[in-house]
């Protein structure tokens, strides 16, 4: 695991019944550089999506569905903002399979448009409509 390993550790600990406390001070710093794995945000978000799929399979009975819904929406937004439209199909499928209730009509339109419209054109069109 090269990214999201800290979040994965927290999920697994919580699933095992661990308790957590908040310490309101900085305990560690993350050092970022051009050779680090986190420089490739598309890869990192794909990794996060794989974890979410695993968590939906393993923990959906013990975790509120709203948590999964909120997290998949974040991943969906990241993919759209990065122009990484092929992965939207996986989010649509997870939403349907686990009945999460994420509104995916616009996401599906973006996914299918990407099949016929070049990514650069679709991305600039979406940015235009989002005011960016």
């Amino acid at each position: 695991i090269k990214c999201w390993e800290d979040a994965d550790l927290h999920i697994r600990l919580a699933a095992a019944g661990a308790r957590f406390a908040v310490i309101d001070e900085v305990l560690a710093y993350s050092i970022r550089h051009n050779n680090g794995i986190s420089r490739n945000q598309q890869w990192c978000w794909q990794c996060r999506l794989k974890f979410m799929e695993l968590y939906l399979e393993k923990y959906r009975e013990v975790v509120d569905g709203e948590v999964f819904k909120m997290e998949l929406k974040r991943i969906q937004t990241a993919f759209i903002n990065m122009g990484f439209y092929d992965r939207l199909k996986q989010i649509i499928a997870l939403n349907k399979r686990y009945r999460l209730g994420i509104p995916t009509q616009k996401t599906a339109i973006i996914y299918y448009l990407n099949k016929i419209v070049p990514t650069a054109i679709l991305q600039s069109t979406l940015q235009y409509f989002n005011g960016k």
Side-chain angles (χ1 to χ4, degrees), residues 9-23:
L9 175 64
H10 292 120
I11 296 292
R12 291 174 189 263
L13 285 169
R19 291 194 149 146
F20 298 89
V22 174
I23 299 172

Side-chain angles (χ1 to χ4, degrees), residues 68-126:
F68 292 118
K69 184 176 176 177
M70 182 178 62
E71 197 58 34
L72 280 174
K73 283 172 139 179
R74 281 188 187 129
I75 297 168
Q76 174 181 281
T77 300
F79 285 159
I80 290 170
N81 289 340
M82 290 184 292
F84 204 40
Y85 306 122
D86 341 357
R87 285 292 177 192
L88 296 176
K89 182 178 182 180
Q90 192 173 355
I91 292 171
I92 294 166
L94 288 172
N95 182 47
K96 184 177 181 180
R97 183 181 321 143
Y98 295 107
R99 297 184 180 110
L100 297 172
I102 300 170
T104 56
Q105 295 84 353
K106 291 179 186 176
T107 305
I109 291 168
I110 293 168
Y111 170 76
Y112 288 113
L113 275 175
N114 189 54
K115 299 292 181 195
I116 57 174
V117 176
T119 300
I121 293 172
L122 182 56
Q123 193 167 20
S124 64
T125 304
L126 290 171

Side-chain angles (χ1 to χ4, degrees), residues 1-2 5 17 37 46 56 61 68-69 71 92 108 120 125:
I1 300 171
K2 295 183 179 182
E5 70 282 356
I37 194 67
Q46 278 183 265
L56 278 162
E61 301 300 324
F68 292 118
K69 184 176 176 177
E71 197 58 34
I92 294 166
T125 304

Side-chain angles (χ1 to χ4, degrees), residues 47-65:
C47 185
R48 191 170 183 170
L49 179 57
K50 286 179 188 176
F51 277 128
M52 286 304 299
E53 189 167 14
L54 172 73
Y55 301 153
L56 278 162
E57 289 175 22
K58 290 181 86 173
Y59 307 124
R60 75 177 179 272
E61 301 300 324
V62 294
V63 175
D64 183 354

